[in-house]
């Protein structure tokens, strides 16, 4: 061969494409769609970075549709969710966590204001599904199953749908127009609703099993836990759930001016704040110290602003009834050390010697949690403690019967219940299609190329400016106590758009072109739907990965 026919080794007057430098590398970059930490923490497995991206582009309809695929209650969840996504947010260690919950509320409110409705199912299936309970879990399952074409019937014991979203959350936290609007959208898809029809016997369950192809039990937890120190036959001892349901219905029980509310969770806070609006002087007695209380921090803060007195880290030891002079109840209490256990509801307390004190009241409202009433099942379904026993797909041990929400879990949050309804619906769908194995994969998050949550270290955060998290205003205390006006305001449009800009879009490519521009070998190419790495020329330097502002690229070691 003539030496002059060989290409030069270090230079050329023609194209450099003859030098396929890809043989130099030991690792190859690749674009990924990886789960963000907020996604990993979301009870409904929500595609948070994706819907925020649509909102950032002012595509509110697109954002709502992505949200509703996993949660048909964005306006509700945006008000009452305990937002574990925000605790997991990568932005939290950069400046402040993204206000995901407030953004979700904004998107949900836009959808209600615009009157958007869900698209009908692409197909109609012959199978019929019975859902027992019209709370967040039952409604979530109904939505997921109806959108897949199943005939769905909800059996609800109470006069209206909503469950504890209606009976247990006051209107100043969740306006009824918002709740009704998001429930209406689900029902309008063609869900049959039978209110006033409780599941009341093992025979009733068997009839449902005989008449339907699948049954989902989501009748909640309505049986109030009780304190042994109290006599519940006395008129001055009241169950918190019953009191709150009456108050939310506009019929506040007459109990005297001074109330002691016992409990430290969201329900106890709701009772205390509702009682303040009804004109009561309220003391909240909680086993936990203020920082340990299971109620959301902002709820506690708002309760204190509204004049609720807090006796935290203490327990009731004895309650003496009113004397002949009617001078009220004497509550003997003692300070305690509260030690939380590994699971919700698991704890121990240690009384502090010499810390006794006394409270006086006209009535006691006890709000220390609720258990499901399983007596109507007659032992037909296996239990785990006070709950129905279910597997990871929400399946009970009984054929074609699933269960979720408060009847099967101690995770007593609206969005946790919504997530369980979704999981059950996916499992029911897979079972009825004969695709249990594929259904199990879907439940595990199949379709995501990488199960690794994107850490902050994977994000080129120098492309993001530090910016404060906006605060939505709260209603003035005097206005709050005057009625049921909503306490927390929504973001306005500019606040919402500004907050979408703070999102790192962890694990989601935003087509910023950084990888394309910074590649020294021109080995990144734009292609339809994203980018491609040309392995003939990529040396594996990793510059593209280091310059990615969303952590949606990674280096993969090559073995040759």
């Amino acid at each position: 061969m003539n030496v002059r026919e060989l290409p030069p080794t270090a230079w050329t007057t023609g194209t450099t494409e003859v030098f396929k430098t890809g043989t130099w590398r030991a690792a190859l970059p690749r674009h990924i769609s990886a789960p963000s930490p907020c996604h990993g923490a979301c009870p409904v497995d929500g595609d948070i970075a994706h819907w925020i991206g649509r909102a950032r582009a002012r595509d509110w309809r697109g954002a709502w549709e992505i949200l509703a695929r996993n949660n048909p209650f964005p306006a509700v969840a945006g008000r009452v969710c305990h937002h574990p996504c925000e605790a997991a947010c990568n932005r939290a260690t950069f400046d402040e966590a993204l206000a995901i919950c407030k953004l979700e509320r904004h998107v949900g409110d836009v959808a209600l204001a615009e009157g958007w409705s869900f698209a009908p199912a692409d197909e109609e299936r012959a199978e019929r599904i019975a859902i027992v309970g019209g709370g967040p879990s039952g409604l979530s399952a109904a939505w997921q199953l109806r959108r897949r074409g199943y005939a769905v019937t909800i059996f609800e014991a109470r006069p209206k749908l909503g469950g504890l979203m209606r009976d247990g959350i006051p209107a100043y936290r969740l306006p009824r127009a918002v709740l009704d609007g998001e429930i209406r959208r689900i029902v309008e898809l063609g869900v049959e609703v039978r209110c006033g029809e409780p599941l009341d016997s093992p025979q009733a369950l068997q009839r449902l099993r005989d008449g339907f192809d699948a049954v989902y039990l989501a009748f909640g937890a309505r049986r109030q836990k009780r304190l042994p120190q109290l006599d519940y036959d006395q008129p001055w001892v009241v169950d918190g759930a019953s009191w709150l349901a009456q108050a939310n219905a506009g019929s506040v029980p007459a109990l005297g001016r001074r109330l002691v509310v016992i409990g430290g969770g969201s329900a106890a806070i709701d009772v205390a704040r509702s009682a303040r609006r009804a004109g009561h002087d309220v003391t909240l007695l909680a086993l936990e110290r203020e920082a340990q209380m299971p109620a959301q921090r902002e709820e506690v803060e708002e309760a204190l602003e509204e004049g609720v007195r807090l006796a935290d880290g203490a327990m009731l030891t004895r309650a003496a009834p009113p004397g002949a002079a009617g001078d009220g109840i004497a509550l003997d209490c003692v300070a305690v050390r509260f030690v939380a256990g590994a699971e919700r509801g698991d704890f121990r307390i240690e009384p502090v010697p010499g810390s006794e004190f006394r409270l006086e009241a006209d009535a006691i409202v006890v709000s220390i949690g609720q258990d499901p009433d399983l007596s109507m099942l007659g032992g037909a379904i296996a239990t785990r403690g006070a709950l129905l026993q279910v597997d990871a797909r929400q399946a009970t041990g009984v054929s074609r019967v699933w269960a979720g929400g408060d009847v099967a879990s101690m995770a007593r949050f609206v969005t946790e219940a919504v997530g369980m309804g979704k999981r059950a619906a996916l499992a029911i769908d897979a079972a009825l299609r004969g695709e249990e194995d594929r259904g199990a994969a879907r439940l595990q998050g199949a379709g995501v190329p990488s199960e690794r949550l994107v850490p902050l270290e994977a994000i080129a955060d120098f492309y993001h400016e530090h910016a404060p998290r906006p605060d939505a205003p709260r209603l003035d205390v005097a206005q709050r106590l005057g009625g049921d006006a909503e306490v927390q305001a929504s973001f306005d449009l500019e606040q919402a758009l500004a907050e979408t800009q703070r999102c790192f879009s962890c694990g989601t490519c935003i087509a910023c072109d950084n990888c394309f521009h910074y590649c020294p070998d021109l080995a990144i190419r734009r292609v339809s739907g994203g980018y491609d790495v040309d392995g003939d020329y990529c040396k594996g330097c990793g510059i593209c990965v280091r310059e990615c502002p969303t952590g949606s690229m990674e280096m993969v070691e090559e073995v040759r």
Side-chain angles (χ1 to χ4, degrees):
M1 180 184 293
N2 189 325
V3 175
R4 285 178 296 182
E5 294 177 2
L6 293 174
T9 58
W11 60 272
T12 179
T13 57
T15 175
T16 59
E17 291 180 355
V18 295
F19 303 122
K20 296 189 175 181
T21 54
T23 57
W24 300 6
R25 69 175 179 270
L28 182 73
R30 69 172 181 177
H31 293 81
I32 60 173
S33 177
S36 59
C38 58
H39 184 156
C42 178
V44 303
D45 195 32
D47 300 318
I48 296 172
H50 293 161
W51 68 256
I52 290 180
R54 300 313 314 149
R56 185 163 52 241
R58 295 177 180 250
D59 178 9
W60 301 108
R61 179 68 185 248
W64 173 69
E65 289 176 349
I66 294 172
L67 260 168
R69 284 204 300 257
N70 300 295
N71 175 17
F73 299 107
V76 170
R79 288 168 165 84
V80 304
C81 183
H82 58 304
H83 44 76
C85 55
E86 295 185 15
C89 178
N90 272 329
R91 185 102 197 186
T93 53
F94 180 74
D95 45 27
E96 294 179 275
L98 200 71
I100 300 169
C101 205
K102 284 285 195 291
L103 280 176
E104 183 173 7
R105 170 176 170 166
H106 183 85
V107 173
D109 285 352
V110 170
L112 287 172
E114 296 293 329
W116 293 334
S117 59
F118 297 134
D122 293 331
E123 61 173 338
E124 289 294 335
R125 298 184 59 85
E127 296 94 337
R128 302 171 65 231
I129 317 296
I131 295 176
V132 182
S137 198
L139 286 165
S140 171
W143 149 239
Q144 296 292 349
L145 289 163
R146 184 69 198 105
R147 69 191 284 246
R148 288 166 171 80
Y150 294 98
V152 178
T153 301
I154 297 176
F155 296 86
E156 168 56 46
R158 301 209 167 215
K160 289 185 177 182
L161 296 176
L164 288 178
M165 292 188 295
R166 185 179 304 280
D167 298 331
I169 302 178
Y172 57 81
R173 289 183 59 210
L174 178 56
R176 293 303 175 255
V178 171
L179 176 61
D180 291 337
E182 295 204 314
I183 291 175
R184 187 182 307 115
R185 270 199 300 250
I186 297 172
V187 175
E188 287 176 349
L189 276 179
V191 174
E192 181 183 2
V193 177
R194 298 187 187 178
C195 287
E197 296 193 25
L199 179 69
D200 55 8
S201 68
Q203 293 75 26
L205 174 61
Q206 188 59 50
R207 286 194 295 270
L208 291 180
R209 294 184 64 206
D210 292 341
F212 292 84
D213 296 283
V215 178
Y216 180 53
L217 302 177
F219 49 81
R222 297 275 187 175
R223 190 178 66 190
Q224 190 79 11
K225 293 180 179 180
R226 296 193 163 190
L227 289 172
Q229 303 96 314
L230 292 174
D231 179 359
Y232 283 77
D233 290 330
Q234 298 299 326
W236 42 268
V237 179
V238 181
D239 283 337
S242 299
W243 189 96
L244 197 53
Q246 292 181 66
N248 288 342
S251 179
V252 180
L255 294 176
R257 182 175 58 83
R258 300 169 299 170
L259 295 188
V260 168
V261 178
I262 300 179
S266 292
I269 294 288
D270 286 340
V271 170
R273 296 178 67 188
S274 296
R276 287 290 299 132
R277 283 159 174 75
H280 294 285
D281 292 338
V282 182
T283 299
L284 185 70
L285 180 64
L287 284 175
E288 306 90 348
R289 299 296 298 177
E290 182 178 338
Q292 297 174 301
M293 291 169 63
Q296 295 184 49
R297 182 62 206 165
E298 59 189 10
E299 297 176 54
V300 178
E301 291 174 353
E302 289 170 3
L304 296 176
E305 290 172 356
E306 292 162 12
V308 174
R309 291 183 293 273
L310 179 59
D312 59 336
M315 65 175 286
L316 174 71
T317 57
R318 175 179 172 274
D327 51 357
I329 307 154
L331 289 82
D332 291 329
C333 307
V334 64
V336 296
R337 296 184 184 92
F338 179 90
V339 182
E343 297 183 9
R344 183 179 172 87
D346 179 21
F347 61 88
R348 74 174 193 272
I349 53 174
E350 301 170 353
V352 178
S355 63
E356 294 80 5
F357 64 96
R358 174 169 288 185
L359 298 174
E360 293 184 353
D362 298 307
I364 302 170
V365 183
V366 184
S367 186
I368 58 172
Q370 296 160 259
D371 289 323
D373 183 358
L374 306 179
S375 60
M376 78 287 288
L377 300 178
I381 298 177
T383 59
R384 179 174 54 84
L387 307 172
L388 292 181
Q389 184 173 314
V390 296
D391 63 16
R393 305 185 204 185
Q394 305 300 137
T396 69
V398 176
S399 173
R400 298 182 293 109
V401 178
W402 286 258
D406 290 353
V407 76
S409 172
M410 286 299 295
R412 302 296 169 81
F413 297 105
V414 167
T415 46
E416 294 282 1
V418 170
M420 283 181 267
K422 175 190 167 186
R423 283 197 297 276
L426 293 179
I428 291 169
D429 177 50
L432 294 179
R433 293 178 187 270
E435 301 173 349
E436 285 92 342
D437 290 341
R438 220 175 85 192
R442 290 210 312 267
L443 291 172
Q444 305 266 340
V448 178
S450 171
E451 293 301 320
R452 175 181 57 84
L453 299 180
V454 178
L456 181 62
E457 296 74 32
I459 295 169
D461 61 16
F462 42 81
Y463 287 105
H464 301 277
E465 295 183 2
H466 288 269
R469 171 185 167 121
D471 287 324
R474 295 175 179 173
L475 200 64
D476 178 79
V477 171
Q479 292 176 289
R480 297 183 208 172
L481 297 180
D484 284 333
E486 192 169 11
V487 172
Q488 296 186 16
S490 298
F491 282 161
D492 60 29
L493 175 61
E494 295 308 313
Q495 284 178 310
L497 287 171
E499 192 63 357
T500 64
Q501 296 291 336
R502 294 181 67 239
C503 180
F504 285 165
S505 299
C506 303
T508 301
C509 179
I510 57 173
C512 67
D513 273 357
N514 271 15
C515 58
F516 176 79
H517 289 303
Y518 281 101
C519 178
D521 299 304
L522 305 181
I524 304 288
R525 296 175 180 172
R526 299 190 189 100
V527 296
S528 177
Y531 303 91
D532 183 54
V533 179
D534 191 333
D536 283 342
Y537 302 102
C538 172
K539 298 191 188 75
C541 66
I543 290 175
C544 55
V545 175
R546 290 194 297 274
E547 296 293 331
C548 180
T550 67
S552 57
M553 293 190 74
E554 66 180 6
M555 298 297 295
V556 180
E557 185 178 3
E558 290 188 305
V559 179
R560 308 190 194 190

